[in-house]
Amino acid sequence: MAEQLSGLADDRALLGRTSTAERVSDILRSRIAEGYFPPGTRLSEDSIGGALGVSRNTLREAFRLLTHERLLVHELNRGVFVRVLAVEDVEDIYRTRALVECAVVRGLGEPPYALDALAEAVGEGQRAVREGDWKTLGTANIHFHRELVALARSDRTDELMRSVFAELRLAFHVVDDPRRLHEPYLARNQQILEALEAGDKVEAEKLLAVYLRDSLQRVVDVYQRRVSAP
């Protein structure tokens, strides 16, 4: 917990002079998405409030917002915890991803497309593989899909998927072999990028649809074994 709180203290400057519950929830959502707070983690009001320099009331409102987004859960007389997803949650996350991500690619206009951020996410994943950092590879994978969604240039779509990707990270935490989970999809990210670089959004959408179908099956298979284990 000390490492996570140290990271939060670094985010304190992001609050600026207008500290709000929305800004706090943005920070905590990002930290959950980056994997700093695994599922089942109890979030201490005193520790997190102290790290960010915000009032108890502000923090409680931020917790309420994230509970509404299904990232946190309040347990009576126990406190606030990062949510542990059910298998049905994972399946619903992937349904949402398929609907939105494929629609974004299908709706792209005429090439060329602005792909610098997408290419950087692939590069981030390649660096993580070279360093054997499989947690960072998972983060790079999420960054790739976040930047893919950003190609729609829609604030509403970005906001919707921001919470979906944060929930997805909760599912990834349950997997005990992140290398096997994430490494095969780095090459698929590259293939999608190359199709878009060639201006072939039809091929990119086909690759993406198969990608998401295979990823869902892999995650659910592992997830079912893990959550049903004693």
Side-chain angles (χ1 to χ4, degrees):
M1 192 66 174
E3 180 182 351
Q4 291 94 323
L5 293 176
S6 175
L8 279 180
D10 294 337
D11 286 333
R12 187 170 181 170
L14 298 177
L15 297 174
R17 296 181 179 179
T18 57
S19 175
T20 66
E22 287 81 7
R23 289 180 181 272
V24 173
S25 66
D26 285 344
I27 289 172
L28 293 179
R29 185 190 303 105
S30 295
R31 288 291 174 171
I32 291 170
E34 299 293 337
Y36 285 90
F37 296 113
T41 301
R42 182 179 180 275
L43 301 184
S44 166
E45 288 184 2
D46 291 339
S47 298
I48 293 177
L52 291 176
V54 298
S55 70
R56 186 182 297 268
N57 286 339
T58 296
L59 188 60
R60 286 177 177 175
E61 176 63 13
F63 284 171
R64 188 191 67 78
L65 293 171
L66 294 177
T67 299
H68 181 70
E69 294 180 17
R70 298 176 300 278
L71 295 177
L72 303 181
V73 61
H74 180 267
E75 297 185 10
L76 189 62
N77 298 324
R78 294 193 65 221
V80 175
F81 295 80
V82 179
R83 189 161 171 253
V84 179
L85 302 182
V87 172
E88 292 77 15
D89 295 314
V90 178
E91 292 172 336
D92 193 39
I93 287 169
Y94 272 88
R95 276 194 296 270
T96 303
R97 292 186 66 193
L99 285 169
V100 174
E101 293 186 47
C102 289
V104 166
V105 174
R106 190 182 318 122
L108 290 175
E110 294 299 316
Y113 308 119
L115 302 175
D116 288 349
L118 208 61
E120 174 55 33
V122 171
E124 180 185 353
Q126 292 169 339
R127 290 190 295 273
V129 169
R130 289 195 296 269
E131 296 169 3
D133 188 344
W134 311 117
K135 177 181 175 181
T136 297
L137 177 58
T139 299
N141 185 41
I142 291 176
H143 287 171
F144 177 87
H145 290 274
R146 186 183 66 194
E147 296 300 339
L148 186 70
V149 169
L151 292 176
R153 298 184 179 180
S154 166
D155 291 340
R156 291 176 179 83
T157 306
D158 290 343
E159 184 176 353
L160 166 67
M161 295 305 291
R162 182 175 56 180
S163 294
V164 171
F165 289 137
E167 281 193 273
L168 180 64
R169 188 69 194 222
L170 297 183
F172 286 171
H173 270 297
V174 176
V175 178
D176 57 354
D177 191 346
R179 178 177 184 176
R180 288 187 61 191
L181 175 65
H182 300 303
E183 191 172 24
Y185 296 99
L186 178 60
R188 296 197 186 197
N189 289 346
Q190 180 69 47
Q191 290 172 347
I192 292 170
L193 174 62
E194 290 172 355
L196 291 174
E197 287 175 335
D200 192 345
K201 66 180 182 181
V202 174
E203 177 64 16
E205 184 186 353
K206 289 179 181 178
L207 291 169
L208 178 60
V210 174
Y211 176 124
L212 292 174
R213 183 195 66 200
D214 293 348
S215 180
L216 168 61
Q217 188 61 56
R218 179 183 290 263
V219 173
V220 167
D221 286 347
V222 175
Y223 206 84
Q224 285 177 325
R225 292 197 301 269
R226 293 286 291 172
V227 298
S228 63

